[in-house]
Structure formats: structure tokens, C-alpha cells
Amino acid sequence: MSSSSSPFTDEQIAEWASFGPKLKGKPTPEQQLEAQERKKKCADMKERLAKEINDPVNWTEKKIEKELDRLVEEGLESTAVRPSYLDGPSGTRDFYPPEMRVQNWLFDNFRETAKSFGFQEYDAPVLENVELYKRKAGEEIVDQMYAFTDKEGYHVTLRPEMTPTLARLVLGKTNLQTGEVRLTLPLKWFSIPQCWRFETTQRGRKREHYQWNMDIVGVDHVHAEVELLAAACFFFQRIGIGPDVVGIKVNSRAVLEAVLAKHGIEKGKKDADGGDIFEQVCVIIDKLDKIGGPAVTELLGEIGVGSDSAAEILKALEAPSVEELANQVGTNSEAVNQVKRLFELAEQYGFGDYLIFDASVVRGLAYYTGVVWEAFDRRGELRAIMGGGRYDRLLEKYGGEKCQIPCVGFGFGDCVIMELLKECGKIPDFASSGPDYVVCAFSPDLYGTAANISWKLRQTGATVDLMPTPKKKVAASFKHADQTGARRMVFVAPDEIEKGVVRIKDLRTKDKNGESIQVDCPLDALDTVDELVAKAVESE
């Protein structure tokens, strides 16, 4: 059988398909003979099947024909060879209107959160210079770039992340001789760029993704970190994700420096090939959650870290609190005090429930210098939802030693949060999120009148979908309006137009019998539709 709900066998479907498709348009004399032949074969088969099924209520000859046509079409679709160019590149996504509505909702929440914290939006080209990303050895991001040489011989790449672009923009407004930024500090900027990395695709990870970036430039103390973490937690609350679902692990790279220094792994120390050992260790430690302690120990051994040192480093990374870590390291540095202060302020601010201390969080990117953090799914089923931290030396690297401009920021990808929202049932129902009005002309000669009504409705601030061609049946036009999620249907018919009115059906407001409210609105008073509907409801 073709499906559990169909009474027809594959052989019967194949027989129906052998009659060929229905002819469309005006047939030639030869096609007329074919059509008559097909009609007779179809009629004989419908009659035969109706007798075999013997269910005149559910399976009339008309229903049999309709179902067989559907099954044949379904079979043709499933067997058709689909050219590879009709599929998007591996690891990328298409956004049909339903997916686009969800994305816009998510991005609106990103934007409204950022604006509520006083951040300003910026953007830049998706194409960047390769040199902007060749910062330090050992970073995977350099190998994952979509890089190429353009027709003018420039080495360019699709941006893999936004922070270096932000650095470039800030330095574009900076005197490189003095390090003076020609903008009012601090800068509080945000963006939602599309980023590209050639990496293995998996759940919550694509080769392209959008990323909400928020950064503060010009603040050298922990108040900047607190403000960014507050914004992230405010966003989570805004979309209904509480601290029972998501947590944010916080640590400090500066504290980690002290841990590694005890084992001779100092920042800036080079290996035999000229690579920065400290940065290589950070990249390895960043994999701890993914590959586990034994694998991390093995990788550390490959770059010259002894097994005893590796064991002590891993023990330090298991410290349950910043105080315990400070005791193990034997330091009560400013970095430790900054982390303590951050947790105190988070409690006072009102988002402390989201934060936990985790000494193993280091973030793999080399440019981080202070506090770092990662948001995670408390069930442990998803990869990091959001990550960020302080990067005080990045602008100096690009602009020179005078450009010691403190910065801190985070990146929040769209893929993982969408997975979490789906699982938690937090994505809104957009079934009724269509236009305010669908306008339909009864006949082609009334299309101009319908267009004029649409124009006037749009001038009231309404969104209007003017149907280019009315359906054959009036009921089908109303069904179309309902399926598009429209709020109201405007049916432009001759009788009403002659009276100087147009009939408007409110698809979302019902009377006491459950029927949609209808009103006749004067053509010169289309801005009063809401009042007319309200009066109709009151009179019920």
C-alpha cells in the first residue's frame, strides 16, 4: 500500500499514472482524441474501484480521482532527480517566510535588549582582509576561514567573527600616534552580523551563522563586564529562559596566567617553532568539556607540558570557587578581586542566579586578557550558547603600542539559542501574524477599486496584501486570507461599492455564535474600521 490512510495499492496508482496527465489549455484535434481516451480509462477505473472499496460515503468516484491524482503527483515528486545546485551549500540555511518570522522575532529581541541598555548598532562589510585575523599561532579560526584572493590580488575572507572588525572600526577613529580615540568613550556598540567558518556541521553549529555582538570600549574595570552580563541575562528573561535552564560560567584568564606560570608556562614564552605556548595551552584547555581530562593531558604533553604539571593544572581547573583557586595558586591578585567584585555586583544588580564560577572556562581565542564567560544549557545537551570576555590588548596589536584601549564584549550565536528555544517551547505562534488586511476584488473590473482601497488602508498605517487574482470561489478567497494569518478580509463587490461602502470581515473577532464579525465601512472613512468593529461587538 502507498500509505496507511489510502485504500489504493502501488499497482493501482501506477495504472492511474499510465493514463498520463490531464491536458491543460485548449487541446489540438489530436490531443482531443487522447483526452477522450484518457477520460474513458479513468471513468472505467473509478467505477471499478468504487465497487471494490464499497464505501459510497467516504469514497465517491470524485474522491477516488482526487486521491489518485494526489498520490501520482506525490510519487512523481519523490522519484524526480533533484539537481545538486538546487540545494544550498553544505552547512548553510535557507530562510523561508515562516523561518524568517522567527529569525526577525529573535533579532528584534537582540536589538531591543541592546537598546534598553543604551547600546548603538553598527555594521561593516562581510568581506574582510585576511591579515585582520592572522593574530596568533594555534588558533583554529585562522584555518577555518573562507579565504581567497580577489580579482585585484587582495587576500580577503568572509568574516569568521566580528571582534577584529570592531577593532578596525575603532582604530579608524583613533590617532595611532597618540592612541587617542576621536569618539566619546565609553563606546557601547552592538551588531548582528552573519559570520562564516569552514568547520564540521553539527547540532547548533553551521558554517554560517548570525551572531549578536555587544561590546564596551574604554572601560578598564569590571563594571563593563557586569553590564554586558546583565544585558545577556535580561535577554534570557525577556524570552522566558530562566537561570534554571541556562547558566553562565565565569572565570579570568589573568587568574589562569598565574596557574600556568607556576608550571613555567608564561605568557609570551615561545616553543621551538616560535609558537606562543601559553596560547596553545589555552586552546587545549578550552576543549576540556568536549574531550575530557585524559585527552587534554595528552595534548598538553605534545607541546611539552609534563604529566605532573598537567595533573596540577587540571586540579586547579576544578576549583569550586575563586577563593579556592586563589588558595591553590597562592595569590590574592587584582584579577581574583575583580572576579569576586563581579559576583557581588551581579547579586546587587539582580542576575546573580545565572552566574557560577568555573575555573576551566578560558575561551579559545588568544586575545582574551581578563574575565571570560560562557552561557550553557544546564542539561548539558547543547554546546556553548554565548561567550565573551575582556580583550584589552587587541587594539594595541593592530594599531601599535600607543593604542592600549580596554575592551570587553560577547558573541551570541543564533543557532544554539534557537535549538534551546524549540526544546523549551518558547518560540511564539506566528499563525496570526500576517497582514492587517487581505483585499480581494470580486472580479477583474473591480481590481482598480480594490487597489485604491488598499492604498487608503496603507495610509492609515495598516499592512495590506492585495490579491492579484481572486479565487474562483468567494469562500476560497476568505480561506486564503485566513491561511495567510491576516487579521481582516476586505471583499470588494459591486453591490457594496455602488452604495459607497466596502464589506470587511474581521477574521479574529467572533460574535456570540462563533462567526466572524462583518462591517460595511464607507469608502471615505476607512480609518474608522476599528471603531465599526468595536461597535459591532458591543451590539452583540
mmCIF file of all heavy atoms in Angstrom, residues 437-440 453 457 474 478 488-497 499-506 516-523 526 529 532-533:
data_model
loop_
_atom_site.group_PDB
_atom_site.id
_atom_site.type_symbol
_atom_site.label_atom_id
_atom_site.label_comp_id
_atom_site.label_asym_id
_atom_site.label_seq_id
_atom_site.Cartn_x
_atom_site.Cartn_y
_atom_site.Cartn_z
ATOM 1 N N TYR A 437 -4.717 43.412 6.617
ATOM 2 C CA TYR A 437 -5.827 43.221 5.678
ATOM 3 C C TYR A 437 -5.382 42.407 4.465
ATOM 4 O O TYR A 437 -4.267 42.588 3.977
ATOM 5 C CB TYR A 437 -6.341 44.566 5.157
ATOM 6 C CG TYR A 437 -6.982 45.457 6.199
ATOM 7 C CD1 TYR A 437 -6.222 46.389 6.895
ATOM 8 C CD2 TYR A 437 -8.346 45.377 6.455
ATOM 9 C CE1 TYR A 437 -6.806 47.232 7.841
ATOM 10 C CE2 TYR A 437 -8.949 46.217 7.397
ATOM 11 C CZ TYR A 437 -8.170 47.132 8.092
ATOM 12 O OH TYR A 437 -8.754 47.950 9.020
ATOM 13 N N VAL A 438 -6.273 41.544 3.994
ATOM 14 C CA VAL A 438 -6.191 40.995 2.640
ATOM 15 C C VAL A 438 -7.347 41.614 1.868
ATOM 16 O O VAL A 438 -8.501 41.555 2.318
ATOM 17 C CB VAL A 438 -6.280 39.458 2.631
ATOM 18 C CG1 VAL A 438 -6.530 38.956 1.212
ATOM 19 C CG2 VAL A 438 -4.996 38.839 3.168
ATOM 20 N N VAL A 439 -7.041 42.239 0.731
ATOM 21 C CA VAL A 439 -8.064 42.886 -0.084
ATOM 22 C C VAL A 439 -8.250 42.075 -1.361
ATOM 23 O O VAL A 439 -7.274 41.770 -2.055
ATOM 24 C CB VAL A 439 -7.671 44.336 -0.424
ATOM 25 C CG1 VAL A 439 -8.728 44.980 -1.330
ATOM 26 C CG2 VAL A 439 -7.515 45.152 0.858
ATOM 27 N N CYS A 440 -9.487 41.722 -1.658
ATOM 28 C CA CYS A 440 -9.780 40.895 -2.826
ATOM 29 C C CYS A 440 -10.901 41.527 -3.649
ATOM 30 O O CYS A 440 -11.951 41.917 -3.110
ATOM 31 C CB CYS A 440 -10.190 39.490 -2.374
ATOM 32 S SG CYS A 440 -10.635 38.389 -3.737
ATOM 33 N N ILE A 453 -8.572 51.096 -2.505
ATOM 34 C CA ILE A 453 -8.904 50.804 -1.102
ATOM 35 C C ILE A 453 -7.643 50.361 -0.356
ATOM 36 O O ILE A 453 -7.402 50.787 0.788
ATOM 37 C CB ILE A 453 -10.010 49.733 -1.028
ATOM 38 C CG1 ILE A 453 -11.332 50.327 -1.513
ATOM 39 C CG2 ILE A 453 -10.153 49.182 0.392
ATOM 40 C CD1 ILE A 453 -12.433 49.308 -1.717
ATOM 41 N N LEU A 457 -5.973 52.193 2.913
ATOM 42 C CA LEU A 457 -5.758 51.448 4.160
ATOM 43 C C LEU A 457 -4.296 51.544 4.592
ATOM 44 O O LEU A 457 -3.990 51.692 5.780
ATOM 45 C CB LEU A 457 -6.171 49.985 3.985
ATOM 46 C CG LEU A 457 -7.674 49.701 3.972
ATOM 47 C CD1 LEU A 457 -7.946 48.259 3.556
ATOM 48 C CD2 LEU A 457 -8.290 49.976 5.348
ATOM 49 N N VAL A 474 -15.732 32.475 -3.802
ATOM 50 C CA VAL A 474 -15.578 33.505 -2.763
ATOM 51 C C VAL A 474 -15.028 32.890 -1.479
ATOM 52 O O VAL A 474 -14.147 33.449 -0.827
ATOM 53 C CB VAL A 474 -16.936 34.198 -2.490
ATOM 54 C CG1 VAL A 474 -16.814 35.147 -1.305
ATOM 55 C CG2 VAL A 474 -17.408 34.936 -3.732
ATOM 56 N N PHE A 478 -11.648 33.890 1.082
ATOM 57 C CA PHE A 478 -11.649 34.074 2.538
ATOM 58 C C PHE A 478 -10.716 33.063 3.214
ATOM 59 O O PHE A 478 -10.030 33.387 4.185
ATOM 60 C CB PHE A 478 -13.076 33.938 3.081
ATOM 61 C CG PHE A 478 -13.903 35.176 2.897
ATOM 62 C CD1 PHE A 478 -14.718 35.322 1.792
ATOM 63 C CD2 PHE A 478 -13.849 36.203 3.822
ATOM 64 C CE1 PHE A 478 -15.476 36.472 1.605
ATOM 65 C CE2 PHE A 478 -14.601 37.357 3.643
ATOM 66 C CZ PHE A 478 -15.411 37.493 2.538
ATOM 67 N N ARG A 488 -7.911 40.804 8.899
ATOM 68 C CA ARG A 488 -9.199 41.122 8.296
ATOM 69 C C ARG A 488 -9.198 40.852 6.802
ATOM 70 O O ARG A 488 -8.143 40.902 6.165
ATOM 71 C CB ARG A 488 -9.562 42.599 8.542
ATOM 72 C CG ARG A 488 -9.897 42.911 9.990
ATOM 73 C CD ARG A 488 -9.969 44.391 10.251
ATOM 74 N NE ARG A 488 -10.331 44.648 11.645
ATOM 75 C CZ ARG A 488 -10.094 45.784 12.280
ATOM 76 N NH1 ARG A 488 -9.504 46.790 11.632
ATOM 77 N NH2 ARG A 488 -10.453 45.944 13.539
ATOM 78 N N MET A 489 -10.392 40.600 6.261
ATOM 79 C CA MET A 489 -10.581 40.379 4.832
ATOM 80 C C MET A 489 -11.486 41.480 4.287
ATOM 81 O O MET A 489 -12.577 41.728 4.820
ATOM 82 C CB MET A 489 -11.216 39.000 4.593
ATOM 83 C CG MET A 489 -11.636 38.742 3.168
ATOM 84 S SD MET A 489 -10.224 38.574 2.074
ATOM 85 C CE MET A 489 -11.009 38.017 0.572
ATOM 86 N N VAL A 490 -11.032 42.127 3.215
ATOM 87 C CA VAL A 490 -11.836 43.161 2.551
ATOM 88 C C VAL A 490 -12.266 42.596 1.205
ATOM 89 O O VAL A 490 -11.422 42.322 0.341
ATOM 90 C CB VAL A 490 -11.017 44.452 2.343
ATOM 91 C CG1 VAL A 490 -11.872 45.518 1.669
ATOM 92 C CG2 VAL A 490 -10.479 44.955 3.679
ATOM 93 N N PHE A 491 -13.573 42.412 1.028
ATOM 94 C CA PHE A 491 -14.074 41.841 -0.215
ATOM 95 C C PHE A 491 -14.772 42.955 -1.006
ATOM 96 O O PHE A 491 -15.803 43.496 -0.588
ATOM 97 C CB PHE A 491 -15.053 40.698 0.068
ATOM 98 C CG PHE A 491 -15.346 39.867 -1.148
ATOM 99 C CD1 PHE A 491 -14.359 39.056 -1.711
ATOM 100 C CD2 PHE A 491 -16.590 39.906 -1.745
ATOM 101 C CE1 PHE A 491 -14.626 38.287 -2.833
ATOM 102 C CE2 PHE A 491 -16.862 39.142 -2.874
ATOM 103 C CZ PHE A 491 -15.872 38.333 -3.415
ATOM 104 N N VAL A 492 -14.173 43.301 -2.139
ATOM 105 C CA VAL A 492 -14.655 44.427 -2.943
ATOM 106 C C VAL A 492 -15.657 43.904 -3.980
ATOM 107 O O VAL A 492 -15.275 43.377 -5.022
ATOM 108 C CB VAL A 492 -13.472 45.156 -3.626
ATOM 109 C CG1 VAL A 492 -13.975 46.389 -4.382
ATOM 110 C CG2 VAL A 492 -12.422 45.543 -2.589
ATOM 111 N N ALA A 493 -16.933 44.047 -3.652
ATOM 112 C CA ALA A 493 -18.007 43.523 -4.506
ATOM 113 C C ALA A 493 -18.862 44.675 -5.056
ATOM 114 O O ALA A 493 -18.957 45.740 -4.427
ATOM 115 C CB ALA A 493 -18.870 42.546 -3.713
ATOM 116 N N PRO A 494 -19.498 44.477 -6.209
ATOM 117 C CA PRO A 494 -20.219 45.573 -6.871
ATOM 118 C C PRO A 494 -21.375 46.148 -6.058
ATOM 119 O O PRO A 494 -21.581 47.358 -6.045
ATOM 120 C CB PRO A 494 -20.711 44.941 -8.180
ATOM 121 C CG PRO A 494 -20.634 43.462 -7.961
ATOM 122 C CD PRO A 494 -19.514 43.253 -7.018
ATOM 123 N N ASP A 495 -22.154 45.314 -5.372
ATOM 124 C CA ASP A 495 -23.329 45.815 -4.644
ATOM 125 C C ASP A 495 -22.931 46.828 -3.579
ATOM 126 O O ASP A 495 -23.552 47.890 -3.443
ATOM 127 C CB ASP A 495 -24.087 44.650 -3.994
ATOM 128 C CG ASP A 495 -24.790 43.778 -5.025
ATOM 129 O OD1 ASP A 495 -24.866 44.208 -6.205
ATOM 130 O OD2 ASP A 495 -25.233 42.678 -4.668
ATOM 131 N N GLU A 496 -21.892 46.500 -2.800
ATOM 132 C CA GLU A 496 -21.453 47.411 -1.736
ATOM 133 C C GLU A 496 -20.815 48.677 -2.315
ATOM 134 O O GLU A 496 -21.041 49.785 -1.818
ATOM 135 C CB GLU A 496 -20.461 46.715 -0.795
ATOM 136 C CG GLU A 496 -21.066 45.670 0.134
ATOM 137 C CD GLU A 496 -21.327 44.348 -0.560
ATOM 138 O OE1 GLU A 496 -20.665 44.080 -1.598
ATOM 139 O OE2 GLU A 496 -22.185 43.597 -0.083
ATOM 140 N N ILE A 497 -20.002 48.501 -3.365
ATOM 141 C CA ILE A 497 -19.315 49.652 -3.960
ATOM 142 C C ILE A 497 -20.324 50.670 -4.492
ATOM 143 O O ILE A 497 -20.157 51.884 -4.364
ATOM 144 C CB ILE A 497 -18.358 49.200 -5.082
ATOM 145 C CG1 ILE A 497 -17.233 48.330 -4.499
ATOM 146 C CG2 ILE A 497 -17.777 50.408 -5.826
ATOM 147 C CD1 ILE A 497 -16.376 49.015 -3.455
ATOM 148 N N LYS A 499 -23.062 51.361 -3.231
ATOM 149 C CA LYS A 499 -23.606 52.076 -2.069
ATOM 150 C C LYS A 499 -22.547 52.952 -1.391
ATOM 151 O O LYS A 499 -22.835 53.605 -0.377
ATOM 152 C CB LYS A 499 -24.153 51.067 -1.046
ATOM 153 C CG LYS A 499 -25.303 50.217 -1.563
ATOM 154 C CD LYS A 499 -25.656 49.136 -0.538
ATOM 155 C CE LYS A 499 -26.714 48.185 -1.094
ATOM 156 N NZ LYS A 499 -26.994 47.072 -0.146
ATOM 157 N N GLY A 500 -21.315 52.923 -1.926
ATOM 158 C CA GLY A 500 -20.247 53.741 -1.347
ATOM 159 C C GLY A 500 -19.601 53.128 -0.124
ATOM 160 O O GLY A 500 -18.976 53.826 0.681
ATOM 161 N N VAL A 501 -19.733 51.806 0.037
ATOM 162 C CA VAL A 501 -19.125 51.109 1.182
ATOM 163 C C VAL A 501 -18.358 49.885 0.683
ATOM 164 O O VAL A 501 -18.465 49.498 -0.485
ATOM 165 C CB VAL A 501 -20.196 50.667 2.217
ATOM 166 C CG1 VAL A 501 -20.925 51.868 2.778
ATOM 167 C CG2 VAL A 501 -21.168 49.665 1.600
ATOM 168 N N VAL A 502 -17.617 49.295 1.585
ATOM 169 C CA VAL A 502 -16.925 48.036 1.295
ATOM 170 C C VAL A 502 -17.088 47.129 2.503
ATOM 171 O O VAL A 502 -17.088 47.594 3.655
ATOM 172 C CB VAL A 502 -15.431 48.271 0.979
ATOM 173 C CG1 VAL A 502 -14.671 48.785 2.196
ATOM 174 C CG2 VAL A 502 -14.764 46.983 0.476
ATOM 175 N N ARG A 503 -17.282 45.833 2.242
ATOM 176 C CA ARG A 503 -17.515 44.884 3.335
ATOM 177 C C ARG A 503 -16.182 44.358 3.871
ATOM 178 O O ARG A 503 -15.322 43.906 3.101
ATOM 179 C CB ARG A 503 -18.383 43.728 2.876
ATOM 180 C CG ARG A 503 -18.715 42.722 3.978
ATOM 181 C CD ARG A 503 -20.024 42.033 3.704
ATOM 182 N NE ARG A 503 -21.136 42.985 3.736
ATOM 183 C CZ ARG A 503 -22.388 42.686 3.378
ATOM 184 N NH1 ARG A 503 -22.682 41.474 2.963
ATOM 185 N NH2 ARG A 503 -23.340 43.599 3.428
ATOM 186 N N ILE A 504 -16.049 44.433 5.180
ATOM 187 C CA ILE A 504 -14.808 43.999 5.845
ATOM 188 C C ILE A 504 -15.163 42.951 6.884
ATOM 189 O O ILE A 504 -16.030 43.163 7.743
ATOM 190 C CB ILE A 504 -14.089 45.193 6.503
ATOM 191 C CG1 ILE A 504 -13.714 46.222 5.433
ATOM 192 C CG2 ILE A 504 -12.849 44.730 7.263
ATOM 193 C CD1 ILE A 504 -13.106 47.494 5.970
ATOM 194 N N LYS A 505 -14.479 41.828 6.794
ATOM 195 C CA LYS A 505 -14.707 40.720 7.726
ATOM 196 C C LYS A 505 -13.518 40.609 8.663
ATOM 197 O O LYS A 505 -12.379 40.454 8.214
ATOM 198 C CB LYS A 505 -14.890 39.417 6.946
ATOM 199 C CG LYS A 505 -15.315 38.219 7.804
ATOM 200 C CD LYS A 505 -15.624 37.030 6.904
ATOM 201 C CE LYS A 505 -16.208 35.865 7.685
ATOM 202 N NZ LYS A 505 -16.557 34.727 6.802
ATOM 203 N N ASP A 506 -13.769 40.723 9.965
ATOM 204 C CA ASP A 506 -12.705 40.587 10.966
ATOM 205 C C ASP A 506 -12.539 39.104 11.301
ATOM 206 O O ASP A 506 -13.374 38.513 11.983
ATOM 207 C CB ASP A 506 -13.044 41.391 12.223
ATOM 208 C CG ASP A 506 -11.848 41.565 13.128
ATOM 209 O OD1 ASP A 506 -11.219 40.545 13.470
ATOM 210 O OD2 ASP A 506 -11.523 42.715 13.479
ATOM 211 N N SER A 516 -17.348 35.196 12.351
ATOM 212 C CA SER A 516 -16.524 36.393 12.261
ATOM 213 C C SER A 516 -17.389 37.638 12.116
ATOM 214 O O SER A 516 -18.385 37.636 11.379
ATOM 215 C CB SER A 516 -15.572 36.294 11.063
ATOM 216 O OG SER A 516 -14.660 35.230 11.244
ATOM 217 N N ILE A 517 -17.004 38.702 12.824
ATOM 218 C CA ILE A 517 -17.723 39.978 12.744
ATOM 219 C C ILE A 517 -17.525 40.602 11.366
ATOM 220 O O ILE A 517 -16.412 40.635 10.836
ATOM 221 C CB ILE A 517 -17.207 40.945 13.830
ATOM 222 C CG1 ILE A 517 -17.591 40.444 15.221
ATOM 223 C CG2 ILE A 517 -17.711 42.369 13.586
ATOM 224 C CD1 ILE A 517 -19.057 40.595 15.564
ATOM 225 N N GLN A 518 -18.635 41.113 10.766
ATOM 226 C CA GLN A 518 -18.565 41.797 9.479
ATOM 227 C C GLN A 518 -19.124 43.205 9.626
ATOM 228 O O GLN A 518 -20.114 43.414 10.328
ATOM 229 C CB GLN A 518 -19.368 41.041 8.410
ATOM 230 C CG GLN A 518 -18.740 39.749 7.965
ATOM 231 C CD GLN A 518 -19.430 39.173 6.733
ATOM 232 O OE1 GLN A 518 -18.793 38.587 5.883
ATOM 233 N NE2 GLN A 518 -20.735 39.340 6.617
ATOM 234 N N VAL A 519 -18.485 44.160 8.941
ATOM 235 C CA VAL A 519 -18.984 45.530 8.938
ATOM 236 C C VAL A 519 -18.895 46.083 7.520
ATOM 237 O O VAL A 519 -18.053 45.657 6.727
ATOM 238 C CB VAL A 519 -18.190 46.441 9.900
ATOM 239 C CG1 VAL A 519 -18.338 45.990 11.333
ATOM 240 C CG2 VAL A 519 -16.711 46.495 9.502
ATOM 241 N N ASP A 520 -19.779 47.030 7.203
ATOM 242 C CA ASP A 520 -19.709 47.772 5.948
ATOM 243 C C ASP A 520 -19.125 49.142 6.260
ATOM 244 O O ASP A 520 -19.746 49.931 6.994
ATOM 245 C CB ASP A 520 -21.088 47.902 5.311
ATOM 246 C CG ASP A 520 -21.563 46.594 4.687
ATOM 247 O OD1 ASP A 520 -20.718 45.678 4.529
ATOM 248 O OD2 ASP A 520 -22.756 46.476 4.370
ATOM 249 N N CYS A 521 -17.960 49.422 5.714
ATOM 250 C CA CYS A 521 -17.253 50.661 6.020
ATOM 251 C C CYS A 521 -17.347 51.631 4.846
ATOM 252 O O CYS A 521 -17.096 51.239 3.698
ATOM 253 C CB CYS A 521 -15.789 50.381 6.336
ATOM 254 S SG CYS A 521 -14.831 51.844 6.771
ATOM 255 N N PRO A 522 -17.723 52.897 5.080
ATOM 256 C CA PRO A 522 -17.749 53.886 3.995
ATOM 257 C C PRO A 522 -16.370 54.020 3.345
ATOM 258 O O PRO A 522 -15.344 54.000 4.027
ATOM 259 C CB PRO A 522 -18.151 55.177 4.706
ATOM 260 C CG PRO A 522 -18.870 54.722 5.946
ATOM 261 C CD PRO A 522 -18.195 53.453 6.353
ATOM 262 N N LEU A 523 -16.348 54.153 2.033
ATOM 263 C CA LEU A 523 -15.085 54.238 1.296
ATOM 264 C C LEU A 523 -14.277 55.464 1.681
ATOM 265 O O LEU A 523 -13.048 55.462 1.545
ATOM 266 C CB LEU A 523 -15.366 54.251 -0.207
ATOM 267 C CG LEU A 523 -15.944 52.949 -0.779
ATOM 268 C CD1 LEU A 523 -16.346 53.151 -2.232
ATOM 269 C CD2 LEU A 523 -14.952 51.809 -0.644
ATOM 270 N N LEU A 526 -12.193 54.879 5.779
ATOM 271 C CA LEU A 526 -11.504 53.605 6.042
ATOM 272 C C LEU A 526 -10.641 53.645 7.304
ATOM 273 O O LEU A 526 -10.159 52.603 7.758
ATOM 274 C CB LEU A 526 -10.641 53.230 4.827
ATOM 275 C CG LEU A 526 -11.436 52.818 3.581
ATOM 276 C CD1 LEU A 526 -10.521 52.716 2.370
ATOM 277 C CD2 LEU A 526 -12.160 51.504 3.812
ATOM 278 N N VAL A 529 -12.399 51.713 10.713
ATOM 279 C CA VAL A 529 -12.740 50.278 10.755
ATOM 280 C C VAL A 529 -12.722 49.753 12.190
ATOM 281 O O VAL A 529 -13.631 49.014 12.610
ATOM 282 C CB VAL A 529 -11.779 49.458 9.874
ATOM 283 C CG1 VAL A 529 -12.105 47.972 9.985
ATOM 284 C CG2 VAL A 529 -11.863 49.909 8.424
ATOM 285 N N LEU A 532 -15.874 50.701 13.986
ATOM 286 C CA LEU A 532 -17.031 49.959 13.482
ATOM 287 C C LEU A 532 -17.065 48.537 14.021
ATOM 288 O O LEU A 532 -18.133 48.027 14.400
ATOM 289 C CB LEU A 532 -17.017 49.951 11.949
ATOM 290 C CG LEU A 532 -17.233 51.302 11.258
ATOM 291 C CD1 LEU A 532 -17.025 51.162 9.753
ATOM 292 C CD2 LEU A 532 -18.642 51.823 11.550
ATOM 293 N N VAL A 533 -15.888 47.892 14.054
ATOM 294 C CA VAL A 533 -15.816 46.520 14.589
ATOM 295 C C VAL A 533 -16.158 46.522 16.070
ATOM 296 O O VAL A 533 -16.910 45.662 16.562
ATOM 297 C CB VAL A 533 -14.424 45.911 14.340
ATOM 298 C CG1 VAL A 533 -14.275 44.590 15.080
ATOM 299 C CG2 VAL A 533 -14.186 45.698 12.841
#
